[in-house]
Structures are given as C-alpha cells and as structure tokens.
Amino acid sequence: MTKYIFVTGGVVSSLGKGIASASIGLLLKSRGFKVTIQKLDPYINVDPGTMSPYQHGEVYVTEDGAETDLDLGHYERFTGLTMTQDNNVTAGRIYYSVIAKERRGEYLGKTVQVVPHITDAIKASITKLASKDHVDVVIVEVGGTVGDIEGLPFLEAIRQLRNELGRGNALNIHLTLVPYIKAAEELKTKPTQHSVGKLREIGLQPEVLICRTEKPFSEMVRQKIAQFCNVEPDAVIQALDVADIYEVPLLFNRQRLDETILRHLGLASAAHDLVEWRTRVVERAVNPKRRVTIAVVGKYVQLQDAYKSIYEALRHGGLAHEAAVDIRKVDAEKLTKDGVEEALSGADGILVPGGFGHRGIEGKLEAITFARQREIPYFGLCLGMQCAVIEFARNVVGLKGANSTEFDATTPHPVISLLEEQKRVTDLGGTMRLGAYACRLQKGTKAAEAYGAAEIRERHRHRYEFNNTYREAFAKQGMMVSGRYEPADLVELVELRDHPWFVACQYHPEFRSRPLEPHPLFQAFVGACVHDR
C-alpha cells in the first residue's frame, strides 16, 4: 500500500518546506523507494502563470507544459524525478473542477459544499498520484502557514484522508521556527508550541517536527519541544542554517530523520546511498577549486526566487568544473542609467534571462552589445535570445528600428514576431507555447558540441518567435541558426560564428538542470567562463 507524508508549515512563511520535502524525497529514494512529491497551493489562481514574479517568484514549467510552483523545481533537482501537472494542485484548480461538474449536473441536484465536495476533490488529486505512478511514498507539501483561512480545506482533506488510510500509512511532518531572541540570549519554543496547537485544533497531530533555527539547541530544549508538542524526542529535528541548500539532506540524515520516517510508516529498507550526493554535489559546492563571476542582467533581480532555476543551473554548471559561481545581479532597468561598463566590468560571463514586457529591454540590449564586442561568454534564455536577435539586427545587420512586435507593433523590421496561432488567443492563462518540444541541432555548432546529440527536447514558455524572413540576412553577418523545431520550422537556438561563446536559446534549459546532471548548455557556458579567465 502506498504511504503518504504530509508536510505543513507554521509560525512564518518561507521556512523552506519545499527544500525539506525535496530532501526527504532524496533520502527515501536513496534507500531504494519509489517516491513522488506534490505541492498543494491554497491560492485561487488556477496556476501561477499569470502572476507577477514579485508576487510568486519563478513559474516552473514541467515536461507536459504545466505552469507550476517553483517548489517543483526543488523536487526535480533534489530527486532527479520528472514532475507533471498532477504534482501541483491549487485551490483555484480544485474549485474550477468542482464548479464545472456542478454546471454539468454531475452532483444530481445536491448542494455543493466545501465538505464533502471540495475536500473530496483534494483527496482525489492526492491519491491519483499513487495509482498513476505506482509509487511507494507520496510526499505532499501544503503551501502557506497553518492558521491561514485559505488552507483550511486542504488540511481538512488531509485529516479525512489520514483516517481513511489507517494507522501506519500516513505521517504528518510539521516545519516550524525556533527563534533566537538576541536580547534574552535564548531560543524560544513557544511559537512552535502554538503552531502545533493550532494544527491539533484542526485535527492533525504531527509525528515529526522540523525546527528551523539559527543556533543549535540543547537536549533540554529538544525534550521540552517533544513534551509540549506530544512527539518523540528523536522526532524533533534541528534544521540549522547551512552554507549550501544541498547540505540539507545530509543534515537530516545525520539526525536519522529517514529512519524515523520509515519506523512510523512501517517500512524496511537497505542502508542509504548518499555517497555521490556528498562527493559530487556538497563537497564541490562547499570547497570549490576556483571561482567565476557571472552577471545576470534581468528585470526581477531584486527578488531571489524570480530566477531560482537559473541561479541553481549556473551553480550546477560550476559543480561540473569544481568552480563556485558568484552571481552578480544586474538590474536591466538601471543599467542604462548607471552605465554598462561599471555594472559589467570584471564579469567572466553574461546571462540574460527570460521575461515579459518592455521594461528593462534597452538595458539588456546594452549588456548584449557589451558581451558581443568584448568577446565575453554570453548565454541568452528565451527573451535573452530574442534580445540577442534584436541587438544583432540593429548593430550588425543594419536594420534600423528592428524590434519585437511585443515591444513595438509598428516596427519596420519585426525580427521577433508573434506565433501565428497566438494571434487568435484572448485568454492569458496556460495559452503560451508550453512544455517540451524537440529540437534538431546543426552539426559543428557550439550547441551540438555541448549536447553531444543530434536531437534534444527542451521546455518552453513563450509567445514570440524568431522571424524566418531574416534568417538569411543574419547568417551572412555571422549569426547562425544552430537548432530548429523542424515540424514548424521554428528557430530554437542561435549563436555567433566568430565569438568565443555566444549562444542563445528560445527555450528554458534551466528547468532540466540537476546537481548530479548539469544541463549541457550551462555546463558549457560556465566552462567557457572558466577558460576565458
């Protein structure tokens, strides 16, 4: 029978439930279990696709084209598993499906209520993963903080599901905060007690507590937390701040969290195998042999989570070369005011990420000019590719006023234009070119060399494309097409022929990068930055 682990959070948000869930997934997988992880998000949006990065952070895209919560990125990076649209469920999606059923008359005249109809839909979305993937353990992370009104239907659904599953088949793990009060020079357990108390009011008793803390606490504090929160002392886990997030699974393992979980769920397994994770990921991350500085020129750099997968993919590329990647965050909007020389001088590489809207575009174009003329390794992602095309059109091909129709509908040279099928789209949610598509690589290019393959598959999230009308003019001036989606003859990759390393792709390679399997383009890009030094 499939076992279930429910991960909740209390006291404050941003404690790291996603990383904790991913770490637990890695620990169980290292012991030979087949696992999957699901994120339940209580917000009413059907998915985060229409939300601002300032509101939600990065939108993570799955192979099957779902726009999901960024925590699915943690799940994939830590476990190496491939998530789908079923691994992220929002309140909006649940209510949307229930209301659609009601409109079709599927409830046979019944009054549709939160209990049982909404909670039944939530339970069905959770158990669906077990039957679909035939897994041993489903880890379910509940977004938000215990006490939030919007999270109550999800917690009620979990309470019901636990009763239906029976003893030994489900486990509650509660992530909480043990703050250090500097003036009193004390760690305080009261917030944790209140948080667990709130959870118990709802009908959920956690068996394991993961306590975020800046300072290690004593055995006396552990015993106190265990006593007041009704858990076993060895189930009180200290989640100390670590130098690198990839140390978290090892931190949990040292405290035998995986053994505690297996005992509660009645599972027996072989000893864990974390050697590769320790040697190839953590040791290289903590003790790098060299360092490189890469400037990320974006419009959302003020928010750490807006480019989360890109930052992690750069770090993965560094791990392959035993190098630490120091990321210099450059605000594209301020670049034109502050000066490109001051902002980018000394950078070993320049990366321009994706995004939407005109704000900051001119700054990105200046950064690309800087990289092209100074022969600094350049990597463009999605909008970063489109900007590279615009910059080349204006400054090399000589197409005055060249632009994307996203930014200037009347441009005389629409080198980037709207996909034909997108011209009929009116709804914004889930209507872009999304998910994995094949790409045929051109032999003898840097992209083909990096991948070591003739055809690849990569994830997309965009509406605009390279305008094939200009392909020949670009080729004559040195910008070659190195990858295409052949069925629709869409340009996926461009690179400069006479540049040390200048590659830009329409897709999002960052979503497929893993610590143990760095994405080929990120590995090659960081390698070019290391070599360039």
Side-chain angles (χ1 to χ4, degrees):
M1 182 176 181
T2 298
K3 309 287 186 173
Y4 293 83
I5 299 173
F6 300 105
V7 180
T8 56
V11 185
V12 296
S13 59
S14 301
L15 287 178
K17 292 194 302 297
I19 293 172
S21 300
S23 298
I24 292 167
L26 171 62
L27 290 176
L28 295 179
K29 189 183 175 196
S30 74
R31 285 180 172 270
F33 292 103
K34 187 176 181 182
V35 303
T36 191
I37 314 178
Q38 184 181 52
K39 176 71 182 289
L40 302 179
D41 277 309
Y43 51 72
I44 301 299
N45 303 67
V46 174
D47 59 48
T50 58
M51 296 168 70
S52 165
Y54 291 119
Q55 286 279 314
H56 185 269
E58 168 188 83
V59 174
Y60 193 81
V61 179
T62 59
E63 288 284 300
D64 60 352
E67 294 173 292
T68 69
D69 186 83
L70 61 82
D71 279 328
L72 270 73
H74 293 312
Y75 305 162
E76 289 200 341
R77 286 188 287 270
F78 276 71
T79 65
L81 301 173
T82 299
M83 302 290 119
T84 70
Q85 62 177 340
D86 293 328
N87 292 88
N88 191 195
V89 177
T90 67
R93 186 170 160 191
I94 293 292
Y95 277 88
Y96 191 87
S97 66
V98 169
I99 291 170
K101 285 183 178 180
E102 185 275 330
R103 292 290 82 187
R104 292 194 298 268
E106 292 186 25
Y107 292 113
L108 302 175
K110 294 178 181 177
T111 300
V112 180
Q113 298 175 289
V114 172
V115 179
H117 302 100
I118 296 298
T119 51
D120 282 352
I122 294 170
K123 288 187 290 183
S125 72
I126 295 171
T127 55
K128 178 182 179 181
L129 280 176
S131 58
K132 171 188 167 187
D133 298 328
H134 306 290
V135 296
D136 300 310
V137 182
V138 177
I139 302 167
V140 182
E141 176 195 348
V142 183
T145 305
V146 170
D148 294 344
I149 191 169
E150 60 265 32
L152 291 175
F154 289 93
L155 296 176
E156 170 61 20
I158 289 170
R159 185 195 67 77
Q160 293 177 21
L161 187 56
R162 284 209 57 167
N163 290 338
E164 294 166 13
L165 291 168
R167 183 180 297 274
N169 293 317
L171 172 72
N172 279 18
I173 296 179
H174 191 54
L175 191 67
T176 183
L177 178 69
V178 179
Y180 176 73
I181 307 301
K182 188 175 180 180
E185 295 185 343
E186 281 186 293
L187 287 163
K188 293 296 184 181
T189 65
K190 193 63 71 176
T192 294
Q193 295 175 42
H194 284 312
S195 183
V196 172
K198 190 69 178 176
L199 199 60
R200 291 167 71 179
E201 287 177 14
I202 299 167
L204 292 172
Q205 167 65 53
E207 285 86 4
V208 176
L209 296 177
I210 297 178
C211 303
R212 282 298 305 274
T213 175
E214 295 178 11
K215 294 180 178 291
F217 49 71
S218 64
E219 183 60 28
M220 183 182 299
V221 171
R222 184 195 301 273
Q223 293 285 346
K224 181 179 180 181
I225 292 173
Q227 181 179 17
F228 281 90
C229 296
N230 195 32
V231 300
E232 299 171 6
D234 65 354
V236 178
I237 306 298
Q238 298 190 51
L240 285 160
D241 292 347
V242 291
D244 191 280
I245 61 169
Y246 296 128
E247 292 183 73
V248 174
L250 302 182
L251 175 68
F252 287 171
N253 176 252
R254 285 195 295 271
Q255 298 176 73
R256 299 183 176 180
L257 172 59
D258 41 341
E259 294 180 15
T260 300
I261 289 172
L262 296 179
R263 186 175 71 252
H264 276 283
L265 295 177
L267 295 172
S269 78
H272 63 80
D273 181 8
L274 293 169
V275 175
E276 196 174 24
W277 187 267
R278 180 181 291 106
T279 56
R280 288 185 52 203
V281 179
V282 175
E283 289 181 6
R284 289 187 183 188
V286 176
N287 302 301
K289 293 182 178 179
R290 55 186 69 85
R291 309 190 77 89
V292 291
T293 299
I294 294 176
V296 175
V297 184
K299 58 194 291 185
Y300 308 116
V301 292
Q302 298 92 336
L303 185 68
Q304 171 70 18
D305 286 344
Y307 300 120
K308 186 65 177 177
S309 290
I310 293 172
Y311 297 153
E312 292 305 308
L314 286 171
R315 296 179 61 220
H316 303 162
L319 292 175
H321 300 281
E322 299 185 69
V325 176
D326 297 321
I327 296 171
R328 183 189 301 177
K329 300 174 185 178
V330 179
D331 189 329
E333 195 172 14
K334 294 180 180 178
L335 191 63
T336 52
K337 302 173 186 176
D338 299 341
V340 67
E341 183 76 39
E342 181 179 344
L344 301 178
S345 180
D348 300 303
I350 296 172
L351 183 150
V352 173
F356 300 92
H358 186 270
R359 183 172 63 84
I361 294 300
E362 294 305 317
K364 293 183 179 185
L365 295 178
E366 287 190 26
I368 294 167
T369 302
F370 187 83
R372 180 176 56 80
Q373 293 180 341
R374 303 290 182 94
E375 296 193 337
I376 299 170
Y378 173 77
F379 194 12
L381 310 178
C382 197
L383 181 61
M385 178 199 124
Q386 296 176 2
C387 287
V389 168
I390 295 168
E391 190 277 336
F392 194 80
R394 291 180 184 179
N395 301 326
V396 179
V397 184
L399 301 177
K400 187 176 180 181
N403 214 330
S404 166
T405 54
E406 179 183 5
F407 313 133
D408 182 3
T410 62
T411 173
H413 296 290
V415 292
I416 302 293
S417 58
L418 193 64
L419 280 162
E420 192 61 37
E421 62 265 27
Q422 289 289 323
K423 294 178 181 178
R424 298 180 294 275
V425 171
T426 55
D427 290 351
L428 295 181
T431 56
M432 286 183 274
R433 187 181 181 216
L434 292 164
Y437 289 84
C439 173
R440 173 67 62 174
L441 301 177
Q442 180 68 36
K443 292 181 180 179
T445 61
K446 289 183 174 65
E449 180 185 354
Y451 279 104
E455 186 170 296
I456 54 155
R457 284 179 64 84
E458 294 286 0
R459 305 180 194 183
H460 296 68
R461 183 176 183 251
H462 64 104
R463 297 184 191 278
Y464 293 80
E465 296 278 357
F466 183 99
N467 188 337
N468 283 327
T469 305
Y470 296 91
R471 189 184 297 182
E472 187 176 341
F474 275 65
K476 287 180 180 179
Q477 297 298 324
M479 179 173 276
M480 58 195 297
V481 173
S482 53
R484 293 185 305 118
Y485 174 61
E486 291 186 321
D489 194 24
L490 299 178
V491 173
E492 297 277 29
L493 276 155
V494 297
E495 55 186 74
L496 294 185
R497 188 182 300 112
D498 300 320
H499 190 284
W501 207 92
F502 190 108
V503 178
C505 53
Q506 183 58 76
Y507 48 81
H508 289 271
E510 66 271 22
F511 295 146
R512 301 197 72 179
S513 188
R514 311 284 180 262
L516 289 171
E517 296 180 16
H519 190 281
L521 290 182
F522 278 92
Q523 182 171 333
F525 173 55
V526 176
C529 296
V530 171
H531 178 74
D532 189 59
R533 296 189 67 182

